Amino acid sequence: MIQAIVFLPLVGALIAGLLGRVIGHRTSEYITTGLLIIAAVLSWVVFAQYWLAPAAAEGAHGAATKVEVFRWITSGALDLRWVLRVDTLTAVMLVVVTTVSSLVHVYSIGYMSDDPHRARFFSYLSLFTFAMLMLVTADNFLQMFFGWEGVGLASYLLIGFWYKKPSANAAAMKAFVVNRVGDFGFVLGIFAAFMVLGQLDFDSAFHAVPEHADATMRFLSWDLHAMTVVCLLLFMGAMGKSAQFLLHTWLPDAMEGPTPVSALIHAATMVTAGVFMVARLSPLFEASDIAMMVVMLVGAMTAFFAATVGLVQNDIKRVIAYSTCSQLGYMFVALGAGAYSVGIFHLFTHAFFKALLFLGAGSVIHAMHHEQDMRNMGGLRHKIPVTYWMMIIGTLALTGVGIPGTPLGFAGFFSKDGIIEVAYAAGASTGYIAFWALVISAMFTSFYSWRLIHLTFHGKPREANHGHDAHAAHDDHGHGHGSAYDNAHESPNVMLVPLYILAAGAVLAGVVFNDVFFGHAEHIEHFFQGSLVVSADLLDAAHHVPWQVKWSATGAMLIGFVAAFQMYIRDTEAPRRLAHANPGLYLFLLNKWYFDELYDRIFVKPALWLGNALWKGFDDQLIDKALTEGLGARVKAITGRVVKLQSGYLYHYAFAMLIGIAALLTWAIAAGGLLG
């Protein structure tokens, strides 16, 4: 069963990619989508074994089910096999990846219906899904790295799918380069783990951790705690892949790809690879308090930073992109606190409501003929009512609407509030800093989420003042003349059905699965069966935090909701006045804390200067002019003159021979006379 789940998407990718022109676009769509749906159904079957009857599931009592595919690397004592590992953590990720991917495939049949290259698009989608499945079923570090780099390649292909669009090419390259920075740390972490633990397969490495918990490694003149170095390097990879603070700059630009790509890669699956990796390697991270503190602080900073930037963005997809970045910060706070199950819980619920929001935004863009600027929208709830209510459900889940202490709430309410309670329960200065950062972020999240709803669906229609999205040239549906609002229409059922399914997940995923992710510690341990570390003391403390802590996120959510209602419904001039009153702050947030400009000044321009210096100074001046055109030219000139001596006429050569013989005789006679 697990082989089918993993390799069916690869089969679909190969068929659509290699035979797409032969079998046609429609057949390619149906084959890839059908295979993904089969994989999703099988994934739910596997998950049900762990959820409904964990004692009867294969791999119970902490032993993962392993399916060997082939022998991979053999070198001396190193004997690595390609093994598909299935345990509870894997089962959760299988459900997330295949469910969202299959729904995105179905949605794309409608969204990409006019694209002339959609067979290639579906091939890329399935290839990405295969790479992600290889990552989550990995049983050793190198196998995980294969999947890790595979999703990076697929994301590059999908972000730059509209390759004739310069901004899409630039965004794809940016994502690739920024992720290489994180991946460099990740591969160094793998090397360090092998050097310290002597093992590459996970089980052997985990068993070796207690023996090397206090080991040190020499670097220059310092003796460093080995496990801290290993974990920080591995976390550097997670920072790149999961768009954490400092390595986050690629994620908003990745919105240049088609909207289904945003839903699949940048909301529910690829960006959660870093979260999954830290959870999978939780026995290693538990051996380093410093690494855990860094994970928590980086997560808290990411949640706060991205939430502040989301307040002023005008592109509907970029608002949701910064929301994704912020929610990933929440997940890392839970991981840094040691509540790995709660971080995975938010990953699980987030997949449903964030994919719902992205696909809902795609439905809006589809209705507005590829207009993405919310300033050019308004009043759309009457034109696309189904999409409107789907977006409302996604917003309620994202902002965490619910009643603390009761089973009433949307998916994000249970998982996000759980993380906030865990951060407070973690205590110390780190925990309290993270707690306040997350509460403030929850308020900002509520504000920008309802701002998106009000600008897009409420109020009066606003005519386009800022031009249409550039990629309309690639995928224009041509709905005639008139304003985008006048021609707005509801999406077809093939795009709406995935929204219904995701909306059900956004409503129910929290209350249904709360007990196995954030219930009593024994329930969580029974569910995960040793696939990640469970801290019973921390979870118990989180359940007994003061009532003010339990209500803090709800209070922050209500403040954000009221502020957005006041500024975008009752007093629509308030945002303009606020921006004019605080121009510095507004531009600071609008320009994303100027990170792109800062990186351009620190990294891009010096690299360009060095490249130009090597190109014009070394290559042009030294190689081309001094050597090729200088020395080479002199050699060519000399040989050119020498070549002229070779006329090809026999009498010339005979004459030269006679002259030579005469000269030789003259020399011999003269020499003999001198000697005599």
Side-chain angles (χ1 to χ4, degrees):
M1 184 182 296
I2 185 62
Q3 297 98 316
I5 295 173
V6 173
F7 290 107
L8 282 177
L10 177 62
V11 173
L14 292 175
I15 292 175
L18 300 178
L19 303 176
R21 293 186 178 182
V22 177
I23 62 178
H25 295 300
R26 184 64 67 188
T27 305
S28 299
E29 293 171 352
Y30 288 162
I31 290 176
T32 54
T33 304
L35 293 176
L36 252 299
I37 292 174
I38 295 172
V41 171
L42 295 177
S43 297
W44 277 100
V45 172
V46 172
F47 177 74
Q49 294 177 352
Y50 291 90
W51 175 38
L52 299 177
E58 292 184 86
H61 310 299
T65 301
K66 298 185 180 182
V67 179
E68 182 174 330
V69 180
F70 56 83
R71 197 172 186 178
W72 190 21
I73 299 175
T74 302
S75 177
L78 180 64
D79 185 11
L80 276 183
R81 290 142 191 266
W82 198 284
V83 176
L84 303 180
R85 177 193 184 100
V86 184
D87 53 23
T88 307
L89 181 58
T90 303
V92 172
M93 294 303 298
L94 289 178
V95 164
V96 169
V97 174
T98 58
T99 301
V100 174
S101 181
S102 60
L103 294 175
V104 167
H105 273 73
V106 173
Y107 180 92
S108 298
I109 292 175
Y111 190 86
M112 302 293 290
S113 60
D114 291 340
D115 196 288
H117 308 291
R118 56 187 183 278
R120 176 167 57 88
F121 178 77
F122 277 81
S123 175
Y124 290 169
L125 285 182
S126 293
L127 177 65
F128 165 80
T129 307
F130 165 71
M132 191 68 193
L133 292 173
M134 291 305 305
L135 191 158
V136 301
T137 57
D139 189 50
N140 58 69
F141 284 100
L142 289 186
Q143 195 177 331
M144 177 179 278
F145 188 70
F146 172 84
W148 194 272
E149 293 303 302
V151 295
L153 168 64
S155 69
Y156 170 80
L157 296 173
L158 285 166
I159 295 169
F161 176 73
W162 283 318
Y163 57 89
K164 294 183 179 179
K165 180 181 173 186
S167 58
N169 284 325
M173 187 63 69
K174 185 176 183 180
F176 196 81
V177 171
V178 173
N179 272 276
R180 294 293 70 73
V181 176
D183 292 353
F184 180 68
F186 186 51
V187 74
L188 288 180
I190 293 174
F191 295 155
F194 182 64
M195 183 181 73
V196 174
L197 303 174
Q199 305 291 339
L200 281 176
D201 65 287
F202 292 148
D203 288 338
S204 299
F206 297 160
H207 290 146
V209 169
E211 180 183 349
H212 300 87
D214 298 323
T216 60
M217 63 170 55
R218 189 78 173 175
F219 180 74
L220 299 179
S221 60
W222 300 298
D223 289 318
L224 305 174
H225 184 239
M227 291 310 301
T228 298
V229 174
V230 170
C231 292
L232 289 179
L233 288 173
L234 292 172
F235 179 60
M236 185 176 173
M239 288 177 64
K241 198 67 71 183
S242 295
Q244 292 300 281
F245 187 67
L246 300 181
L247 294 180
H248 65 276
T249 53
W250 67 270
L251 183 61
D253 288 7
M255 298 304 106
E256 292 291 340
T259 300
V261 173
S262 303
L264 177 63
I265 294 183
H266 310 115
T269 50
M270 190 189 87
V271 290
T272 60
V275 179
F276 166 79
M277 184 265 286
V278 174
R280 169 64 78 204
L281 304 181
S282 55
L284 274 64
F285 281 84
E286 285 291 311
S288 173
D289 292 337
I290 294 177
M292 296 286 281
M293 179 186 69
V294 170
V295 172
M296 178 181 278
L297 290 178
V298 169
M301 188 65 211
T302 304
F304 176 78
F305 156 75
T308 62
V309 176
L311 295 172
V312 297
Q313 297 301 305
N314 297 309
D315 186 303
I316 187 171
K317 287 173 64 176
R318 285 181 180 264
V319 173
I320 306 174
Y322 278 107
S323 172
T324 298
C325 192
S326 182
Q327 297 306 306
L328 290 167
Y330 276 83
M331 299 175 203
F332 278 108
V333 167
L335 299 178
Y340 302 98
S341 65
V342 185
I344 295 298
F345 187 25
H346 198 49
L347 183 157
F348 182 75
T349 61
H350 177 263
F352 290 103
F353 62 75
K354 190 52 63 69
L356 173 61
L357 286 170
F358 262 118
L359 295 185
S363 184
V364 172
I365 296 168
H366 181 269
M368 293 293 289
H369 315 309
H370 301 282
E371 175 62 69
Q372 295 184 197
D373 195 323
M374 296 184 297
R375 293 171 294 181
N376 301 333
M377 300 180 188
L380 286 176
R381 66 190 178 99
H382 301 297
K383 289 282 189 176
I384 46 175
V386 176
T387 300
Y388 168 68
W389 285 109
M390 294 299 101
M391 291 287 285
I392 288 290
I393 292 174
T395 300
L396 293 173
L398 171 62
T399 56
V401 173
I403 303 175
T406 72
L408 300 177
F410 289 81
F413 163 73
F414 293 95
S415 56
K416 187 164 72 172
D417 283 30
I419 293 175
I420 291 174
E421 292 166 17
V422 161
Y424 185 88
S429 57
T430 307
Y432 295 135
I433 291 172
F435 166 75
W436 284 110
L438 297 187
V439 171
I440 296 172
S441 300
M443 178 177 65
F444 291 161
T445 300
S446 179
F447 178 84
Y448 66 64
S449 298
W450 289 109
R451 172 179 178 265
L452 183 152
I453 293 294
H454 297 325
L455 284 176
T456 304
F457 296 102
H458 297 154
K460 296 180 180 179
R462 294 178 293 277
E463 293 297 328
N465 297 317
H466 307 281
H468 291 281
D469 183 78
H471 78 100
H474 297 271
D475 193 22
D476 185 53
H477 289 268
H479 288 277
H481 301 287
S483 70
Y485 177 82
D486 292 336
N487 292 320
H489 57 91
E490 190 62 88
S491 299
N493 286 330
V494 73
M495 293 173 62
L496 294 179
V497 170
L499 298 185
Y500 300 149
I501 298 173
L502 291 170
V507 174
L508 300 174
V511 65
V512 172
F513 297 103
N514 183 59
D515 189 52
V516 296
F517 286 101
F518 189 48
H520 296 293
E522 59 269 21
H523 294 170
I524 299 173
E525 290 175 342
H526 188 57
F527 176 63
F528 280 98
Q529 304 171 5
S531 58
L532 49 71
V533 175
V534 177
S535 176
D537 293 338
L538 177 63
L539 291 170
D540 183 66
H543 288 303
H544 293 89
V545 296
W547 68 267
Q548 295 93 333
V549 175
K550 291 182 177 292
W551 279 88
S552 59
T554 300
M557 177 270 295
L558 291 173
I559 293 173
F561 171 79
V562 171
F565 182 80
Q566 174 66 26
M567 295 177 67
Y568 292 96
I569 297 296
R570 297 189 62 184
D571 184 5
T572 56
E573 289 299 314
R576 191 185 306 275
R577 294 198 303 270
L578 193 61
H580 287 165
N582 302 277
L585 178 61
Y586 175 73
L587 290 175
F588 181 69
L589 298 180
L590 187 65
N591 289 283
K592 303 156 288 189
W593 290 27
Y594 291 103
F595 268 103
D596 285 322
E597 291 79 3
L598 181 64
Y599 286 173
D600 184 68
R601 181 69 62 86
I602 297 176
F603 300 114
V604 177
K605 287 184 177 178
L608 287 174
W609 179 88
L610 179 61
N612 284 326
L614 293 175
W615 165 35
K616 295 182 178 179
F618 181 78
D619 190 54
D620 277 5
Q621 297 298 324
L622 179 61
I623 301 298
D624 289 345
K625 292 185 178 180
L627 295 180
T628 305
E629 298 177 8
L631 180 61
R634 300 286 75 75
V635 172
K636 182 179 179 180
I638 293 171
T639 55
R641 293 189 181 97
V642 172
V643 164
K644 291 180 179 179
L645 296 176
Q646 308 295 325
S647 67
Y649 293 111
L650 183 62
Y651 57 84
H652 284 173
Y653 300 141
F655 179 74
M657 292 172 63
L658 289 174
I659 295 297
I661 292 172
L664 181 62
L665 291 174
T666 302
W667 175 81
I669 294 171
L674 292 173
L675 291 174

mmCIF file with all atom_site columns, all heavy atoms in Angstrom, residues 270-287:
data_model
loop_
_atom_site.group_PDB
_atom_site.id
_atom_site.type_symbol
_atom_site.label_atom_id
_atom_site.label_alt_id
_atom_site.label_comp_id
_atom_site.label_asym_id
_atom_site.label_entity_id
_atom_site.label_seq_id
_atom_site.pdbx_PDB_ins_code
_atom_site.Cartn_x
_atom_site.Cartn_y
_atom_site.Cartn_z
_atom_site.occupancy
_atom_site.B_iso_or_equiv
_atom_site.pdbx_formal_charge
_atom_site.auth_seq_id
_atom_site.auth_comp_id
_atom_site.auth_asym_id
_atom_site.auth_atom_id
_atom_site.pdbx_PDB_model_num
ATOM 1   N N   . MET A 1 270 ? 5.119  22.016 1.007  1.00 0.00 ? 270 MET A N   1
ATOM 2   C CA  . MET A 1 270 ? 6.566  22.194 1.007  1.00 0.00 ? 270 MET A CA  1
ATOM 3   C C   . MET A 1 270 ? 7.057  23.040 2.163  1.00 0.00 ? 270 MET A C   1
ATOM 4   O O   . MET A 1 270 ? 8.063  22.706 2.802  1.00 0.00 ? 270 MET A O   1
ATOM 5   C CB  . MET A 1 270 ? 7.040  22.824 -0.306 1.00 0.00 ? 270 MET A CB  1
ATOM 6   C CG  . MET A 1 270 ? 8.557  22.800 -0.434 1.00 0.00 ? 270 MET A CG  1
ATOM 7   S SD  . MET A 1 270 ? 9.215  23.734 -1.805 1.00 0.00 ? 270 MET A SD  1
ATOM 8   C CE  . MET A 1 270 ? 9.356  25.346 -1.082 1.00 0.00 ? 270 MET A CE  1
ATOM 9   N N   . VAL A 1 271 ? 6.374  24.117 2.467  1.00 0.00 ? 271 VAL A N   1
ATOM 10  C CA  . VAL A 1 271 ? 6.847  24.998 3.532  1.00 0.00 ? 271 VAL A CA  1
ATOM 11  C C   . VAL A 1 271 ? 6.736  24.341 4.908  1.00 0.00 ? 271 VAL A C   1
ATOM 12  O O   . VAL A 1 271 ? 7.308  24.841 5.877  1.00 0.00 ? 271 VAL A O   1
ATOM 13  C CB  . VAL A 1 271 ? 6.092  26.343 3.527  1.00 0.00 ? 271 VAL A CB  1
ATOM 14  C CG1 . VAL A 1 271 ? 6.479  27.170 2.319  1.00 0.00 ? 271 VAL A CG1 1
ATOM 15  C CG2 . VAL A 1 271 ? 4.602  26.134 3.586  1.00 0.00 ? 271 VAL A CG2 1
ATOM 16  N N   . THR A 1 272 ? 5.996  23.249 5.005  1.00 0.00 ? 272 THR A N   1
ATOM 17  C CA  . THR A 1 272 ? 5.925  22.532 6.280  1.00 0.00 ? 272 THR A CA  1
ATOM 18  C C   . THR A 1 272 ? 6.995  21.450 6.386  1.00 0.00 ? 272 THR A C   1
ATOM 19  O O   . THR A 1 272 ? 7.067  20.758 7.403  1.00 0.00 ? 272 THR A O   1
ATOM 20  C CB  . THR A 1 272 ? 4.546  21.890 6.465  1.00 0.00 ? 272 THR A CB  1
ATOM 21  O OG1 . THR A 1 272 ? 4.307  20.959 5.405  1.00 0.00 ? 272 THR A OG1 1
ATOM 22  C CG2 . THR A 1 272 ? 3.446  22.943 6.441  1.00 0.00 ? 272 THR A CG2 1
ATOM 23  N N   . ALA A 1 273 ? 7.836  21.303 5.350  1.00 0.00 ? 273 ALA A N   1
ATOM 24  C CA  . ALA A 1 273 ? 8.886  20.291 5.382  1.00 0.00 ? 273 ALA A CA  1
ATOM 25  C C   . ALA A 1 273 ? 9.846  20.534 6.543  1.00 0.00 ? 273 ALA A C   1
ATOM 26  O O   . ALA A 1 273 ? 10.309 19.594 7.191  1.00 0.00 ? 273 ALA A O   1
ATOM 27  C CB  . ALA A 1 273 ? 9.644  20.276 4.054  1.00 0.00 ? 273 ALA A CB  1
ATOM 28  N N   . GLY A 1 274 ? 10.154 21.807 6.801  1.00 0.00 ? 274 GLY A N   1
ATOM 29  C CA  . GLY A 1 274 ? 11.045 22.118 7.910  1.00 0.00 ? 274 GLY A CA  1
ATOM 30  C C   . GLY A 1 274 ? 10.431 21.762 9.252  1.00 0.00 ? 274 GLY A C   1
ATOM 31  O O   . GLY A 1 274 ? 11.123 21.265 10.158 1.00 0.00 ? 274 GLY A O   1
ATOM 32  N N   . VAL A 1 275 ? 9.132  21.997 9.395  1.00 0.00 ? 275 VAL A N   1
ATOM 33  C CA  . VAL A 1 275 ? 8.432  21.636 10.626 1.00 0.00 ? 275 VAL A CA  1
ATOM 34  C C   . VAL A 1 275 ? 8.467  20.121 10.819 1.00 0.00 ? 275 VAL A C   1
ATOM 35  O O   . VAL A 1 275 ? 8.762  19.610 11.910 1.00 0.00 ? 275 VAL A O   1
ATOM 36  C CB  . VAL A 1 275 ? 6.974  22.139 10.594 1.00 0.00 ? 275 VAL A CB  1
ATOM 37  C CG1 . VAL A 1 275 ? 6.230  21.737 11.861 1.00 0.00 ? 275 VAL A CG1 1
ATOM 38  C CG2 . VAL A 1 275 ? 6.940  23.649 10.398 1.00 0.00 ? 275 VAL A CG2 1
ATOM 39  N N   . PHE A 1 276 ? 8.169  19.387 9.745  1.00 0.00 ? 276 PHE A N   1
ATOM 40  C CA  . PHE A 1 276 ? 8.211  17.927 9.822  1.00 0.00 ? 276 PHE A CA  1
ATOM 41  C C   . PHE A 1 276 ? 9.608  17.441 10.186 1.00 0.00 ? 276 PHE A C   1
ATOM 42  O O   . PHE A 1 276 ? 9.775  16.523 10.994 1.00 0.00 ? 276 PHE A O   1
ATOM 43  C CB  . PHE A 1 276 ? 7.775  17.330 8.482  1.00 0.00 ? 276 PHE A CB  1
ATOM 44  C CG  . PHE A 1 276 ? 8.090  15.869 8.349  1.00 0.00 ? 276 PHE A CG  1
ATOM 45  C CD1 . PHE A 1 276 ? 7.282  14.922 8.955  1.00 0.00 ? 276 PHE A CD1 1
ATOM 46  C CD2 . PHE A 1 276 ? 9.203  15.447 7.624  1.00 0.00 ? 276 PHE A CD2 1
ATOM 47  C CE1 . PHE A 1 276 ? 7.577  13.569 8.844  1.00 0.00 ? 276 PHE A CE1 1
ATOM 48  C CE2 . PHE A 1 276 ? 9.500  14.098 7.507  1.00 0.00 ? 276 PHE A CE2 1
ATOM 49  C CZ  . PHE A 1 276 ? 8.692  13.153 8.115  1.00 0.00 ? 276 PHE A CZ  1
ATOM 50  N N   . MET A 1 277 ? 10.645 18.025 9.567  1.00 0.00 ? 277 MET A N   1
ATOM 51  C CA  . MET A 1 277 ? 12.011 17.585 9.819  1.00 0.00 ? 277 MET A CA  1
ATOM 52  C C   . MET A 1 277 ? 12.400 17.754 11.286 1.00 0.00 ? 277 MET A C   1
ATOM 53  O O   . MET A 1 277 ? 12.979 16.851 11.895 1.00 0.00 ? 277 MET A O   1
ATOM 54  C CB  . MET A 1 277 ? 12.969 18.361 8.913  1.00 0.00 ? 277 MET A CB  1
ATOM 55  C CG  . MET A 1 277 ? 14.418 17.911 9.019  1.00 0.00 ? 277 MET A CG  1
ATOM 56  S SD  . MET A 1 277 ? 15.379 18.900 10.194 1.00 0.00 ? 277 MET A SD  1
ATOM 57  C CE  . MET A 1 277 ? 15.596 20.402 9.262  1.00 0.00 ? 277 MET A CE  1
ATOM 58  N N   . VAL A 1 278 ? 12.071 18.898 11.876 1.00 0.00 ? 278 VAL A N   1
ATOM 59  C CA  . VAL A 1 278 ? 12.403 19.111 13.289 1.00 0.00 ? 278 VAL A CA  1
ATOM 60  C C   . VAL A 1 278 ? 11.633 18.138 14.173 1.00 0.00 ? 278 VAL A C   1
ATOM 61  O O   . VAL A 1 278 ? 12.178 17.591 15.139 1.00 0.00 ? 278 VAL A O   1
ATOM 62  C CB  . VAL A 1 278 ? 12.116 20.570 13.696 1.00 0.00 ? 278 VAL A CB  1
ATOM 63  C CG1 . VAL A 1 278 ? 12.324 20.767 15.192 1.00 0.00 ? 278 VAL A CG1 1
ATOM 64  C CG2 . VAL A 1 278 ? 13.015 21.526 12.917 1.00 0.00 ? 278 VAL A CG2 1
ATOM 65  N N   . ALA A 1 279 ? 10.356 17.881 13.848 1.00 0.00 ? 279 ALA A N   1
ATOM 66  C CA  . ALA A 1 279 ? 9.578  16.922 14.626 1.00 0.00 ? 279 ALA A CA  1
ATOM 67  C C   . ALA A 1 279 ? 10.143 15.515 14.481 1.00 0.00 ? 279 ALA A C   1
ATOM 68  O O   . ALA A 1 279 ? 10.259 14.773 15.467 1.00 0.00 ? 279 ALA A O   1
ATOM 69  C CB  . ALA A 1 279 ? 8.116  16.958 14.191 1.00 0.00 ? 279 ALA A CB  1
ATOM 70  N N   . ARG A 1 280 ? 10.501 15.129 13.269 1.00 0.00 ? 280 ARG A N   1
ATOM 71  C CA  . ARG A 1 280 ? 11.082 13.808 13.049 1.00 0.00 ? 280 ARG A CA  1
ATOM 72  C C   . ARG A 1 280 ? 12.379 13.631 13.827 1.00 0.00 ? 280 ARG A C   1
ATOM 73  O O   . ARG A 1 280 ? 12.655 12.552 14.379 1.00 0.00 ? 280 ARG A O   1
ATOM 74  C CB  . ARG A 1 280 ? 11.324 13.602 11.546 1.00 0.00 ? 280 ARG A CB  1
ATOM 75  C CG  . ARG A 1 280 ? 12.148 12.387 11.174 1.00 0.00 ? 280 ARG A CG  1
ATOM 76  C CD  . ARG A 1 280 ? 11.444 11.102 11.565 1.00 0.00 ? 280 ARG A CD  1
ATOM 77  N NE  . ARG A 1 280 ? 10.403 10.749 10.632 1.00 0.00 ? 280 ARG A NE  1
ATOM 78  C CZ  . ARG A 1 280 ? 9.364  9.981  10.922 1.00 0.00 ? 280 ARG A CZ  1
ATOM 79  N NH1 . ARG A 1 280 ? 9.235  9.511  12.157 1.00 0.00 ? 280 ARG A NH1 1
ATOM 80  N NH2 . ARG A 1 280 ? 8.445  9.694  10.035 1.00 0.00 ? 280 ARG A NH2 1
ATOM 81  N N   . LEU A 1 281 ? 13.185 14.678 13.883 1.00 0.00 ? 281 LEU A N   1
ATOM 82  C CA  . LEU A 1 281 ? 14.479 14.614 14.562 1.00 0.00 ? 281 LEU A CA  1
ATOM 83  C C   . LEU A 1 281 ? 14.387 15.129 15.993 1.00 0.00 ? 281 LEU A C   1
ATOM 84  O O   . LEU A 1 281 ? 15.391 15.575 16.566 1.00 0.00 ? 281 LEU A O   1
ATOM 85  C CB  . LEU A 1 281 ? 15.513 15.419 13.775 1.00 0.00 ? 281 LEU A CB  1
ATOM 86  C CG  . LEU A 1 281 ? 15.703 15.009 12.309 1.00 0.00 ? 281 LEU A CG  1
ATOM 87  C CD1 . LEU A 1 281 ? 16.768 15.872 11.649 1.00 0.00 ? 281 LEU A CD1 1
ATOM 88  C CD2 . LEU A 1 281 ? 16.076 13.538 12.193 1.00 0.00 ? 281 LEU A CD2 1
ATOM 89  N N   . SER A 1 282 ? 13.205 15.075 16.579 1.00 0.00 ? 282 SER A N   1
ATOM 90  C CA  . SER A 1 282 ? 13.015 15.593 17.941 1.00 0.00 ? 282 SER A CA  1
ATOM 91  C C   . SER A 1 282 ? 13.957 14.974 18.964 1.00 0.00 ? 282 SER A C   1
ATOM 92  O O   . SER A 1 282 ? 14.399 15.679 19.892 1.00 0.00 ? 282 SER A O   1
ATOM 93  C CB  . SER A 1 282 ? 11.553 15.405 18.373 1.00 0.00 ? 282 SER A CB  1
ATOM 94  O OG  . SER A 1 282 ? 11.138 14.058 18.249 1.00 0.00 ? 282 SER A OG  1
ATOM 95  N N   . PRO A 1 283 ? 14.335 13.676 18.878 1.00 0.00 ? 283 PRO A N   1
ATOM 96  C CA  . PRO A 1 283 ? 15.305 13.156 19.857 1.00 0.00 ? 283 PRO A CA  1
ATOM 97  C C   . PRO A 1 283 ? 16.643 13.882 19.808 1.00 0.00 ? 283 PRO A C   1
ATOM 98  O O   . PRO A 1 283 ? 17.320 14.015 20.841 1.00 0.00 ? 283 PRO A O   1
ATOM 99  C CB  . PRO A 1 283 ? 15.452 11.679 19.453 1.00 0.00 ? 283 PRO A CB  1
ATOM 100 C CG  . PRO A 1 283 ? 14.169 11.343 18.781 1.00 0.00 ? 283 PRO A CG  1
ATOM 101 C CD  . PRO A 1 283 ? 13.789 12.588 18.034 1.00 0.00 ? 283 PRO A CD  1
ATOM 102 N N   . LEU A 1 284 ? 17.043 14.365 18.619 1.00 0.00 ? 284 LEU A N   1
ATOM 103 C CA  . LEU A 1 284 ? 18.292 15.121 18.520 1.00 0.00 ? 284 LEU A CA  1
ATOM 104 C C   . LEU A 1 284 ? 18.133 16.495 19.153 1.00 0.00 ? 284 LEU A C   1
ATOM 105 O O   . LEU A 1 284 ? 19.003 16.952 19.917 1.00 0.00 ? 284 LEU A O   1
ATOM 106 C CB  . LEU A 1 284 ? 18.710 15.276 17.057 1.00 0.00 ? 284 LEU A CB  1
ATOM 107 C CG  . LEU A 1 284 ? 19.534 14.160 16.416 1.00 0.00 ? 284 LEU A CG  1
ATOM 108 C CD1 . LEU A 1 284 ? 18.748 12.860 16.351 1.00 0.00 ? 284 LEU A CD1 1
ATOM 109 C CD2 . LEU A 1 284 ? 19.998 14.575 15.022 1.00 0.00 ? 284 LEU A CD2 1
ATOM 110 N N   . PHE A 1 285 ? 17.032 17.185 18.845 1.00 0.00 ? 285 PHE A N   1
ATOM 111 C CA  . PHE A 1 285 ? 16.830 18.540 19.360 1.00 0.00 ? 285 PHE A CA  1
ATOM 112 C C   . PHE A 1 285 ? 16.641 18.538 20.878 1.00 0.00 ? 285 PHE A C   1
ATOM 113 O O   . PHE A 1 285 ? 17.004 19.521 21.545 1.00 0.00 ? 285 PHE A O   1
ATOM 114 C CB  . PHE A 1 285 ? 15.628 19.190 18.665 1.00 0.00 ? 285 PHE A CB  1
ATOM 115 C CG  . PHE A 1 285 ? 15.937 19.721 17.296 1.00 0.00 ? 285 PHE A CG  1
ATOM 116 C CD1 . PHE A 1 285 ? 15.912 18.880 16.186 1.00 0.00 ? 285 PHE A CD1 1
ATOM 117 C CD2 . PHE A 1 285 ? 16.275 21.049 17.103 1.00 0.00 ? 285 PHE A CD2 1
ATOM 118 C CE1 . PHE A 1 285 ? 16.205 19.357 14.920 1.00 0.00 ? 285 PHE A CE1 1
ATOM 119 C CE2 . PHE A 1 285 ? 16.573 21.537 15.837 1.00 0.00 ? 285 PHE A CE2 1
ATOM 120 C CZ  . PHE A 1 285 ? 16.541 20.689 14.738 1.00 0.00 ? 285 PHE A CZ  1
ATOM 121 N N   . GLU A 1 286 ? 16.095 17.470 21.424 1.00 0.00 ? 286 GLU A N   1
ATOM 122 C CA  . GLU A 1 286 ? 15.922 17.390 22.875 1.00 0.00 ? 286 GLU A CA  1
ATOM 123 C C   . GLU A 1 286 ? 17.256 17.386 23.604 1.00 0.00 ? 286 GLU A C   1
ATOM 124 O O   . GLU A 1 286 ? 17.312 17.680 24.796 1.00 0.00 ? 286 GLU A O   1
ATOM 125 C CB  . GLU A 1 286 ? 15.124 16.135 23.239 1.00 0.00 ? 286 GLU A CB  1
ATOM 126 C CG  . GLU A 1 286 ? 13.639 16.231 22.947 1.00 0.00 ? 286 GLU A CG  1
ATOM 127 C CD  . GLU A 1 286 ? 12.936 17.213 23.864 1.00 0.00 ? 286 GLU A CD  1
ATOM 128 O OE1 . GLU A 1 286 ? 13.125 17.137 25.097 1.00 0.00 ? 286 GLU A OE1 1
ATOM 129 O OE2 . GLU A 1 286 ? 12.199 18.072 23.344 1.00 0.00 ? 286 GLU A OE2 1
ATOM 130 N N   . ALA A 1 287 ? 18.338 17.065 22.891 1.00 0.00 ? 287 ALA A N   1
ATOM 131 C CA  . ALA A 1 287 ? 19.660 17.001 23.518 1.00 0.00 ? 287 ALA A CA  1
ATOM 132 C C   . ALA A 1 287 ? 20.341 18.360 23.566 1.00 0.00 ? 287 ALA A C   1
ATOM 133 O O   . ALA A 1 287 ? 21.466 18.462 24.069 1.00 0.00 ? 287 ALA A O   1
ATOM 134 C CB  . ALA A 1 287 ? 20.545 16.004 22.760 1.00 0.00 ? 287 ALA A CB  1
#
